[in-house]
């Protein structure tokens, strides 16, 4: 083991956390908006717009079907316009966000669909408007499912961030390739693997913990 | 006074059109407890859900104190709905809210100040005898208690009308009785008009001053409950009475033989 190991790994970890956090904040926000729009514009829901629903759904599917690594390449011009360069950690956040947002949209859409129709109907009967139904009924009722969805989303963001390392974006994935694959530094390779595993475990633990404590308060079981 | 005139409603299904309501005419006076009885699929839910437009009628009028509900735009409809409470077979309480906050919901929707909400909710908790459960979540309540919360929530905004869509159908006979008692009680205390639909004859007999019988989307007879029972004209009502009285007439030995 060389003395520079800790230094290399901690720099990679910091870059990964930076990319994951910024991507997470933006893509969760956009994904949530898209997910809620998808859920409420569907047939028989509170803001039925079948055409908009169809168009949005198709767009989400198209972006989702492009693998992240290809998306990074395809989006180079877009990234240049937004960030000014297509290289480096910050630049990679653009394709990461665009790649992950449609996935999160689907995750949130299905979480929000778990709310029973009867509850929404009761709110209608009480004279609630669409905003009130979204923010006082649908979102709070779906909260445990939303937290679980967010957990899934975080883990997949960690995954694609590591993949983006292959294009020199920095972070743990970058280290694994530059040191582990190209320079035979097995210690760095194992270090990155262990750190990514720990990161994922920690996110999963936190997500489960939050979802479970909400459910424990609301329901006798679980 | 609620006047329903020439109300019709069809559903489009993959197998063609289903007529759920056909030219329904009803007059329900203020403070009444009005029952609508019919067999499954007769159109009861469709009818009661048209009154607060959870279902849009195809044609006809529904006037509440001379205000035609069917022509209101969205905002006006929401304002009117605040004065029409509704309770459901499946209760439809919010799992994310305590009993207190469930009852506070319609008041929050109406932007009532927090202090007034607290006062009003506590008042109503007392009325439905659930003060000791105010911090519980719906999943921690029995069916009967859940329906009491449902009733409290429906009454929170001091509505003029209470609609009940099979409110006791998911409850056992004893609990049903206590809920019917409560409805009778609030009708007397609050002078609220109650319109209920049911397929349980006992509910009608125990609670309703006036009754209408619905068969395949049409009101086939209506009037004072006692008079209807003394002299049932429709097939539906005769069948209902026959089933119940036939059951009462049978001696334990007869029932034993059947089993
Ligand atoms: N959303 C719908 N789409 C198509 N058909 C419907 C719909 N809702 C009700 N119907 C049909 O309309 C008719 C009346 O239904 P409704 O629910 O009003 O009956 P009901 O008297 O309440 O019955 P139950 O006692 O079983 O609840 C039935 O034939 C039913 O199948
Ligand atoms: Mg029904």
């Amino acid at each position: 083991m060389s003395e520079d190991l800790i230094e290399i790994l901690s720099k990679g970890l910091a870059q990964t956390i930076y990319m994951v956090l910024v991507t997470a904040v933006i893509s969760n926000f956009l994904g949530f908006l898209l997910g809620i729009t998808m859920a409420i514009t569907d047939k028989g829901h509170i803001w039925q717009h079948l055409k908009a629903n169809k168009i949005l759904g198709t767009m989400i599917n198209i972006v989702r079907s492009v693998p992240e690594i290809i998306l990074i390449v395809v989006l180079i011009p877009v990234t240049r316009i937004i960030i000014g360069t297509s290289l480096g950690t910050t630049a990679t956040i653009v394709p990461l966000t665009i790649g992950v947002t449609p996935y999160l949209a689907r995750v949130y859409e299905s979480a929000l669909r778990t709310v029973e129709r009867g509850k929404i109907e009761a709110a209608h009967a009480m004279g609630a408007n669409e905003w009130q139904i979204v923010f006082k009924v649908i979102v709070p009722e779906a909260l445990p499912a939303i937290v679980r969805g967010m957990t899934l989303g975080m883990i997949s963001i960690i995954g694609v961030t590591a993949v983006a390392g292959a294009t020199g974006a920095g972070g743990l994935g970058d280290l694994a390739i530059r040191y582990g694959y190209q320079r035979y530094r097995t210690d760095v390779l194992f270090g990155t693997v262990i750190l990514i595993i720990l990161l994922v475990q920690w996110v999963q633990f936190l997500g489960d913990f939050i979802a479970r404590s909400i459910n424990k308060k609301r329901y006798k079981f679980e | 006074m609620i006047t329903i005139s020439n109300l019709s409603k069809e559903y489009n299904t993959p197998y063609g059109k289903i007529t759920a309501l056909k030219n329904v005419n009803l007059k329900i006076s203020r403070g009444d407890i009005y029952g609508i009885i019919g067999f499954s699929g007769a159109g009861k839910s469709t009818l009661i859900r048209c009154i607060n437009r959870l279902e849009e009628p195809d044609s006809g009028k529904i006037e509440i104190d001379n205000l035609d509900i069917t022509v209101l735009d969205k905002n006006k409809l929401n304002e009117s709905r605040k004065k029409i409470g509704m309770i459901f077979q499946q209760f439809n309480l919010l799992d994310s809210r305590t009993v207190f906050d469930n009852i506070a919901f319609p008041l929050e929707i109406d932007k009532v100040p927090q202090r007034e909400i607290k006062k009003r909710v506590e008042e109503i908790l007392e009325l439905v005898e659930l003060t000791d459960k105010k911090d519980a979540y719906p999943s921690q309540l029995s069916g009967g208690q859940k329906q009491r919360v449902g009733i409290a929530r429906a009454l929170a905004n001091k509505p003029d009308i209470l609609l009940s869509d099979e409110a006791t159908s998911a409850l056992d006979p004893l609990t049903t009785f206590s809920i019917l008692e409560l409805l009778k009680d609030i009708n007397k205390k609050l002078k609220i008009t109650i319109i209920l639909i049911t397929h349980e004859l006992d509910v009608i007999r125990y609670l309703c001053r006036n009754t209408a019988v619905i068969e395949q989307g049409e009101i086939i007879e209506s009037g004072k409950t006692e008079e209807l029972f003394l002299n049932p004209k429709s097939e539906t009502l005769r069948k209902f009475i026959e089933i119940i009285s036939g059951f009462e007439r049978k001696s334990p030995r007869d029932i034993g033989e059947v089993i």
Side-chain angles (χ1 to χ4, degrees), chain B residues 215-240:
Chain B
E215 199 178 286
Q216 292 181 352
E218 286 184 274
I219 302 289
I220 44 174
E221 62 180 320
S222 61
K224 282 217 165 62
T225 306
E226 305 144 46
E227 286 165 19
L228 283 185
F229 276 76
L230 280 175
N231 187 14
K233 292 198 181 68
S234 64
E235 181 80 3
T236 295
L237 192 55
R238 276 205 212 110
K239 264 193 203 147
F240 265 115

PDB file of all heavy atoms in Angstrom, chain B residues 215-240:
ATOM      1  N   GLU B 215     -84.853   1.685  -9.420  1.00  0.00           N
ATOM      2  CA  GLU B 215     -84.738   0.413 -10.134  1.00  0.00           C
ATOM      3  C   GLU B 215     -84.249   0.737 -11.535  1.00  0.00           C
ATOM      4  O   GLU B 215     -84.870   1.515 -12.246  1.00  0.00           O
ATOM      5  CB  GLU B 215     -86.130  -0.230 -10.177  1.00  0.00           C
ATOM      6  CG  GLU B 215     -86.151  -1.702 -10.466  1.00  0.00           C
ATOM      7  CD  GLU B 215     -87.602  -2.227 -10.433  1.00  0.00           C
ATOM      8  OE1 GLU B 215     -88.172  -2.368  -9.335  1.00  0.00           O
ATOM      9  OE2 GLU B 215     -88.171  -2.464 -11.512  1.00  0.00           O
ATOM     10  N   GLN B 216     -83.152   0.167 -11.926  1.00  0.00           N
ATOM     11  CA  GLN B 216     -82.576   0.399 -13.257  1.00  0.00           C
ATOM     12  C   GLN B 216     -82.543   1.875 -13.660  1.00  0.00           C
ATOM     13  O   GLN B 216     -82.970   2.242 -14.753  1.00  0.00           O
ATOM     14  CB  GLN B 216     -83.334  -0.419 -14.298  1.00  0.00           C
ATOM     15  CG  GLN B 216     -83.085  -1.898 -14.092  1.00  0.00           C
ATOM     16  CD  GLN B 216     -83.774  -2.763 -15.102  1.00  0.00           C
ATOM     17  OE1 GLN B 216     -84.584  -2.295 -15.903  1.00  0.00           O
ATOM     18  NE2 GLN B 216     -83.448  -4.048 -15.088  1.00  0.00           N
ATOM     19  N   GLY B 217     -82.092   2.694 -12.729  1.00  0.00           N
ATOM     20  CA  GLY B 217     -81.909   4.112 -13.040  1.00  0.00           C
ATOM     21  C   GLY B 217     -83.151   4.956 -12.949  1.00  0.00           C
ATOM     22  O   GLY B 217     -83.112   6.155 -13.220  1.00  0.00           O
ATOM     23  N   GLU B 218     -84.283   4.350 -12.584  1.00  0.00           N
ATOM     24  CA  GLU B 218     -85.511   5.129 -12.485  1.00  0.00           C
ATOM     25  C   GLU B 218     -86.069   5.076 -11.060  1.00  0.00           C
ATOM     26  O   GLU B 218     -86.018   4.048 -10.407  1.00  0.00           O
ATOM     27  CB  GLU B 218     -86.573   4.568 -13.436  1.00  0.00           C
ATOM     28  CG  GLU B 218     -86.301   4.884 -14.888  1.00  0.00           C
ATOM     29  CD  GLU B 218     -87.429   4.381 -15.776  1.00  0.00           C
ATOM     30  OE1 GLU B 218     -87.380   3.204 -16.168  1.00  0.00           O
ATOM     31  OE2 GLU B 218     -88.358   5.166 -16.049  1.00  0.00           O
ATOM     32  N   ILE B 219     -86.608   6.226 -10.624  1.00  0.00           N
ATOM     33  CA  ILE B 219     -87.307   6.243  -9.340  1.00  0.00           C
ATOM     34  C   ILE B 219     -88.691   5.664  -9.593  1.00  0.00           C
ATOM     35  O   ILE B 219     -89.477   6.231 -10.359  1.00  0.00           O
ATOM     36  CB  ILE B 219     -87.432   7.685  -8.798  1.00  0.00           C
ATOM     37  CG1 ILE B 219     -86.047   8.323  -8.640  1.00  0.00           C
ATOM     38  CG2 ILE B 219     -88.211   7.700  -7.486  1.00  0.00           C
ATOM     39  CD1 ILE B 219     -85.206   7.784  -7.528  1.00  0.00           C
ATOM     40  N   ILE B 220     -88.998   4.519  -8.963  1.00  0.00           N
ATOM     41  CA  ILE B 220     -90.269   3.893  -9.286  1.00  0.00           C
ATOM     42  C   ILE B 220     -91.333   4.123  -8.225  1.00  0.00           C
ATOM     43  O   ILE B 220     -92.512   3.972  -8.488  1.00  0.00           O
ATOM     44  CB  ILE B 220     -90.113   2.394  -9.562  1.00  0.00           C
ATOM     45  CG1 ILE B 220     -89.196   1.789  -8.505  1.00  0.00           C
ATOM     46  CG2 ILE B 220     -89.550   2.169 -10.954  1.00  0.00           C
ATOM     47  CD1 ILE B 220     -89.111   0.314  -8.632  1.00  0.00           C
ATOM     48  N   GLU B 221     -90.926   4.485  -7.020  1.00  0.00           N
ATOM     49  CA  GLU B 221     -91.913   4.998  -6.072  1.00  0.00           C
ATOM     50  C   GLU B 221     -91.207   5.787  -4.995  1.00  0.00           C
ATOM     51  O   GLU B 221     -90.024   5.585  -4.729  1.00  0.00           O
ATOM     52  CB  GLU B 221     -92.779   3.872  -5.468  1.00  0.00           C
ATOM     53  CG  GLU B 221     -92.040   2.835  -4.671  1.00  0.00           C
ATOM     54  CD  GLU B 221     -92.996   1.773  -4.111  1.00  0.00           C
ATOM     55  OE1 GLU B 221     -94.096   2.141  -3.673  1.00  0.00           O
ATOM     56  OE2 GLU B 221     -92.625   0.594  -4.117  1.00  0.00           O
ATOM     57  N   SER B 222     -91.925   6.708  -4.375  1.00  0.00           N
ATOM     58  CA  SER B 222     -91.328   7.487  -3.299  1.00  0.00           C
ATOM     59  C   SER B 222     -92.430   8.019  -2.405  1.00  0.00           C
ATOM     60  O   SER B 222     -93.590   8.077  -2.802  1.00  0.00           O
ATOM     61  CB  SER B 222     -90.517   8.649  -3.883  1.00  0.00           C
ATOM     62  OG  SER B 222     -91.354   9.498  -4.627  1.00  0.00           O
ATOM     63  N   GLY B 223     -92.053   8.381  -1.208  1.00  0.00           N
ATOM     64  CA  GLY B 223     -93.048   8.906  -0.277  1.00  0.00           C
ATOM     65  C   GLY B 223     -92.607   8.708   1.158  1.00  0.00           C
ATOM     66  O   GLY B 223     -91.427   8.430   1.427  1.00  0.00           O
ATOM     67  N   LYS B 224     -93.567   8.878   2.108  1.00  0.00           N
ATOM     68  CA  LYS B 224     -93.264   8.651   3.525  1.00  0.00           C
ATOM     69  C   LYS B 224     -92.870   7.185   3.724  1.00  0.00           C
ATOM     70  O   LYS B 224     -93.535   6.280   3.208  1.00  0.00           O
ATOM     71  CB  LYS B 224     -94.516   8.950   4.356  1.00  0.00           C
ATOM     72  CG  LYS B 224     -94.768  10.415   4.571  1.00  0.00           C
ATOM     73  CD  LYS B 224     -95.334  10.613   5.992  1.00  0.00           C
ATOM     74  CE  LYS B 224     -95.272  12.062   6.419  1.00  0.00           C
ATOM     75  NZ  LYS B 224     -96.085  12.934   5.528  1.00  0.00           N
ATOM     76  N   THR B 225     -91.832   6.966   4.490  1.00  0.00           N
ATOM     77  CA  THR B 225     -91.310   5.610   4.646  1.00  0.00           C
ATOM     78  C   THR B 225     -92.378   4.626   5.143  1.00  0.00           C
ATOM     79  O   THR B 225     -92.553   3.545   4.579  1.00  0.00           O
ATOM     80  CB  THR B 225     -90.108   5.620   5.613  1.00  0.00           C
ATOM     81  OG1 THR B 225     -89.164   6.574   5.130  1.00  0.00           O
ATOM     82  CG2 THR B 225     -89.447   4.259   5.696  1.00  0.00           C
ATOM     83  N   GLU B 226     -93.126   5.026   6.187  1.00  0.00           N
ATOM     84  CA  GLU B 226     -94.120   4.091   6.753  1.00  0.00           C
ATOM     85  C   GLU B 226     -95.151   3.694   5.702  1.00  0.00           C
ATOM     86  O   GLU B 226     -95.513   2.525   5.581  1.00  0.00           O
ATOM     87  CB  GLU B 226     -94.895   4.727   7.912  1.00  0.00           C
ATOM     88  CG  GLU B 226     -94.069   5.269   9.025  1.00  0.00           C
ATOM     89  CD  GLU B 226     -94.706   6.536   9.590  1.00  0.00           C
ATOM     90  OE1 GLU B 226     -95.927   6.530   9.823  1.00  0.00           O
ATOM     91  OE2 GLU B 226     -93.972   7.530   9.791  1.00  0.00           O
ATOM     92  N   GLU B 227     -95.598   4.697   4.951  1.00  0.00           N
ATOM     93  CA  GLU B 227     -96.636   4.405   3.958  1.00  0.00           C
ATOM     94  C   GLU B 227     -96.127   3.468   2.871  1.00  0.00           C
ATOM     95  O   GLU B 227     -96.828   2.559   2.429  1.00  0.00           O
ATOM     96  CB  GLU B 227     -97.168   5.709   3.351  1.00  0.00           C
ATOM     97  CG  GLU B 227     -98.066   6.445   4.330  1.00  0.00           C
ATOM     98  CD  GLU B 227     -98.332   7.885   3.926  1.00  0.00           C
ATOM     99  OE1 GLU B 227     -98.143   8.224   2.749  1.00  0.00           O
ATOM    100  OE2 GLU B 227     -98.704   8.678   4.828  1.00  0.00           O
ATOM    101  N   LEU B 228     -94.875   3.685   2.472  1.00  0.00           N
ATOM    102  CA  LEU B 228     -94.289   2.798   1.466  1.00  0.00           C
ATOM    103  C   LEU B 228     -94.235   1.361   1.960  1.00  0.00           C
ATOM    104  O   LEU B 228     -94.538   0.417   1.238  1.00  0.00           O
ATOM    105  CB  LEU B 228     -92.867   3.242   1.122  1.00  0.00           C
ATOM    106  CG  LEU B 228     -92.678   4.447   0.213  1.00  0.00           C
ATOM    107  CD1 LEU B 228     -91.206   4.624  -0.081  1.00  0.00           C
ATOM    108  CD2 LEU B 228     -93.447   4.273  -1.084  1.00  0.00           C
ATOM    109  N   PHE B 229     -93.902   1.216   3.219  1.00  0.00           N
ATOM    110  CA  PHE B 229     -93.765  -0.137   3.769  1.00  0.00           C
ATOM    111  C   PHE B 229     -95.116  -0.814   3.943  1.00  0.00           C
ATOM    112  O   PHE B 229     -95.235  -2.027   3.813  1.00  0.00           O
ATOM    113  CB  PHE B 229     -93.017  -0.100   5.106  1.00  0.00           C
ATOM    114  CG  PHE B 229     -91.531  -0.085   4.926  1.00  0.00           C
ATOM    115  CD1 PHE B 229     -90.886   1.074   4.538  1.00  0.00           C
ATOM    116  CD2 PHE B 229     -90.784  -1.228   5.104  1.00  0.00           C
ATOM    117  CE1 PHE B 229     -89.519   1.096   4.345  1.00  0.00           C
ATOM    118  CE2 PHE B 229     -89.421  -1.213   4.918  1.00  0.00           C
ATOM    119  CZ  PHE B 229     -88.786  -0.047   4.537  1.00  0.00           C
ATOM    120  N   LEU B 230     -96.133  -0.023   4.266  1.00  0.00           N
ATOM    121  CA  LEU B 230     -97.468  -0.602   4.433  1.00  0.00           C
ATOM    122  C   LEU B 230     -98.026  -1.063   3.102  1.00  0.00           C
ATOM    123  O   LEU B 230     -98.735  -2.065   3.020  1.00  0.00           O
ATOM    124  CB  LEU B 230     -98.415   0.443   5.053  1.00  0.00           C
ATOM    125  CG  LEU B 230     -98.283   0.604   6.559  1.00  0.00           C
ATOM    126  CD1 LEU B 230     -99.180   1.742   7.048  1.00  0.00           C
ATOM    127  CD2 LEU B 230     -98.634  -0.694   7.282  1.00  0.00           C
ATOM    128  N   ASN B 231     -97.676  -0.320   2.068  1.00  0.00           N
ATOM    129  CA  ASN B 231     -98.281  -0.598   0.779  1.00  0.00           C
ATOM    130  C   ASN B 231     -97.251  -0.509  -0.359  1.00  0.00           C
ATOM    131  O   ASN B 231     -97.288   0.398  -1.176  1.00  0.00           O
ATOM    132  CB  ASN B 231     -99.430   0.405   0.569  1.00  0.00           C
ATOM    133  CG  ASN B 231    -100.225   0.090  -0.673  1.00  0.00           C
ATOM    134  OD1 ASN B 231    -100.105  -1.006  -1.239  1.00  0.00           O
ATOM    135  ND2 ASN B 231    -101.018   1.051  -1.127  1.00  0.00           N
ATOM    136  N   PRO B 232     -96.315  -1.453  -0.369  1.00  0.00           N
ATOM    137  CA  PRO B 232     -95.251  -1.377  -1.381  1.00  0.00           C
ATOM    138  C   PRO B 232     -95.786  -1.684  -2.768  1.00  0.00           C
ATOM    139  O   PRO B 232     -96.498  -2.676  -2.955  1.00  0.00           O
ATOM    140  CB  PRO B 232     -94.265  -2.458  -0.929  1.00  0.00           C
ATOM    141  CG  PRO B 232     -95.075  -3.413  -0.123  1.00  0.00           C
ATOM    142  CD  PRO B 232     -96.198  -2.644   0.482  1.00  0.00           C
ATOM    143  N   LYS B 233     -95.489  -0.821  -3.727  1.00  0.00           N
ATOM    144  CA  LYS B 233     -96.023  -1.018  -5.067  1.00  0.00           C
ATOM    145  C   LYS B 233     -94.990  -1.636  -6.000  1.00  0.00           C
ATOM    146  O   LYS B 233     -95.325  -2.379  -6.895  1.00  0.00           O
ATOM    147  CB  LYS B 233     -96.500   0.324  -5.636  1.00  0.00           C
ATOM    148  CG  LYS B 233     -97.710   0.876  -4.908  1.00  0.00           C
ATOM    149  CD  LYS B 233     -98.412   1.935  -5.755  1.00  0.00           C
ATOM    150  CE  LYS B 233     -99.613   2.501  -5.011  1.00  0.00           C
ATOM    151  NZ  LYS B 233     -99.193   3.300  -3.817  1.00  0.00           N
ATOM    152  N   SER B 234     -93.734  -1.279  -5.792  1.00  0.00           N
ATOM    153  CA  SER B 234     -92.713  -1.721  -6.749  1.00  0.00           C
ATOM    154  C   SER B 234     -92.219  -3.132  -6.429  1.00  0.00           C
ATOM    155  O   SER B 234     -92.243  -3.585  -5.285  1.00  0.00           O
ATOM    156  CB  SER B 234     -91.534  -0.755  -6.730  1.00  0.00           C
ATOM    157  OG  SER B 234     -90.921  -0.793  -5.462  1.00  0.00           O
ATOM    158  N   GLU B 235     -91.807  -3.775  -7.490  1.00  0.00           N
ATOM    159  CA  GLU B 235     -91.195  -5.098  -7.388  1.00  0.00           C
ATOM    160  C   GLU B 235     -90.021  -5.082  -6.404  1.00  0.00           C
ATOM    161  O   GLU B 235     -89.908  -5.914  -5.514  1.00  0.00           O
ATOM    162  CB  GLU B 235     -90.705  -5.486  -8.793  1.00  0.00           C
ATOM    163  CG  GLU B 235     -90.070  -6.839  -8.904  1.00  0.00           C
ATOM    164  CD  GLU B 235     -91.121  -7.941  -8.989  1.00  0.00           C
ATOM    165  OE1 GLU B 235     -92.337  -7.639  -9.017  1.00  0.00           O
ATOM    166  OE2 GLU B 235     -90.705  -9.102  -9.018  1.00  0.00           O
ATOM    167  N   THR B 236     -89.145  -4.051  -6.583  1.00  0.00           N
ATOM    168  CA  THR B 236     -87.949  -3.949  -5.747  1.00  0.00           C
ATOM    169  C   THR B 236     -88.293  -3.911  -4.265  1.00  0.00           C
ATOM    170  O   THR B 236     -87.765  -4.697  -3.473  1.00  0.00           O
ATOM    171  CB  THR B 236     -87.147  -2.679  -6.120  1.00  0.00           C
ATOM    172  OG1 THR B 236     -86.678  -2.819  -7.452  1.00  0.00           O
ATOM    173  CG2 THR B 236     -85.970  -2.479  -5.198  1.00  0.00           C
ATOM    174  N   LEU B 237     -89.201  -3.017  -3.890  1.00  0.00           N
ATOM    175  CA  LEU B 237     -89.497  -2.864  -2.471  1.00  0.00           C
ATOM    176  C   LEU B 237     -90.171  -4.130  -1.929  1.00  0.00           C
ATOM    177  O   LEU B 237     -89.863  -4.578  -0.822  1.00  0.00           O
ATOM    178  CB  LEU B 237     -90.401  -1.632  -2.253  1.00  0.00           C
ATOM    179  CG  LEU B 237     -90.527  -1.208  -0.798  1.00  0.00           C
ATOM    180  CD1 LEU B 237     -89.164  -0.964  -0.180  1.00  0.00           C
ATOM    181  CD2 LEU B 237     -91.378   0.056  -0.675  1.00  0.00           C
ATOM    182  N   ARG B 238     -91.075  -4.742  -2.723  1.00  0.00           N
ATOM    183  CA  ARG B 238     -91.715  -5.991  -2.280  1.00  0.00           C
ATOM    184  C   ARG B 238     -90.666  -7.061  -2.024  1.00  0.00           C
ATOM    185  O   ARG B 238     -90.697  -7.753  -1.029  1.00  0.00           O
ATOM    186  CB  ARG B 238     -92.703  -6.487  -3.330  1.00  0.00           C
ATOM    187  CG  ARG B 238     -94.046  -5.816  -3.174  1.00  0.00           C
ATOM    188  CD  ARG B 238     -95.162  -6.676  -3.741  1.00  0.00           C
ATOM    189  NE  ARG B 238     -96.174  -5.783  -4.263  1.00  0.00           N
ATOM    190  CZ  ARG B 238     -96.437  -5.618  -5.547  1.00  0.00           C
ATOM    191  NH1 ARG B 238     -95.820  -6.350  -6.450  1.00  0.00           N
ATOM    192  NH2 ARG B 238     -97.337  -4.758  -5.923  1.00  0.00           N
ATOM    193  N   LYS B 239     -89.723  -7.146  -2.943  1.00  0.00           N
ATOM    194  CA  LYS B 239     -88.657  -8.149  -2.776  1.00  0.00           C
ATOM    195  C   LYS B 239     -87.861  -7.898  -1.507  1.00  0.00           C
ATOM    196  O   LYS B 239     -87.597  -8.808  -0.727  1.00  0.00           O
ATOM    197  CB  LYS B 239     -87.707  -8.122  -3.982  1.00  0.00           C
ATOM    198  CG  LYS B 239     -88.043  -9.157  -5.030  1.00  0.00           C
ATOM    199  CD  LYS B 239     -86.893  -9.272  -6.009  1.00  0.00           C
ATOM    200  CE  LYS B 239     -87.381  -9.829  -7.339  1.00  0.00           C
ATOM    201  NZ  LYS B 239     -86.625  -9.287  -8.478  1.00  0.00           N
ATOM    202  N   PHE B 240     -87.491  -6.629  -1.295  1.00  0.00           N
ATOM    203  CA  PHE B 240     -86.743  -6.282  -0.087  1.00  0.00           C
ATOM    204  C   PHE B 240     -87.507  -6.720   1.158  1.00  0.00           C
ATOM    205  O   PHE B 240     -86.959  -7.353   2.065  1.00  0.00           O
ATOM    206  CB  PHE B 240     -86.521  -4.759  -0.017  1.00  0.00           C
ATOM    207  CG  PHE B 240     -85.199  -4.313  -0.571  1.00  0.00           C
ATOM    208  CD1 PHE B 240     -85.128  -3.512  -1.690  1.00  0.00           C
ATOM    209  CD2 PHE B 240     -84.017  -4.697   0.045  1.00  0.00           C
ATOM    210  CE1 PHE B 240     -83.909  -3.087  -2.195  1.00  0.00           C
ATOM    211  CE2 PHE B 240     -82.785  -4.285  -0.444  1.00  0.00           C
ATOM    212  CZ  PHE B 240     -82.734  -3.481  -1.574  1.00  0.00           C
TER     213      PHE B 240
END
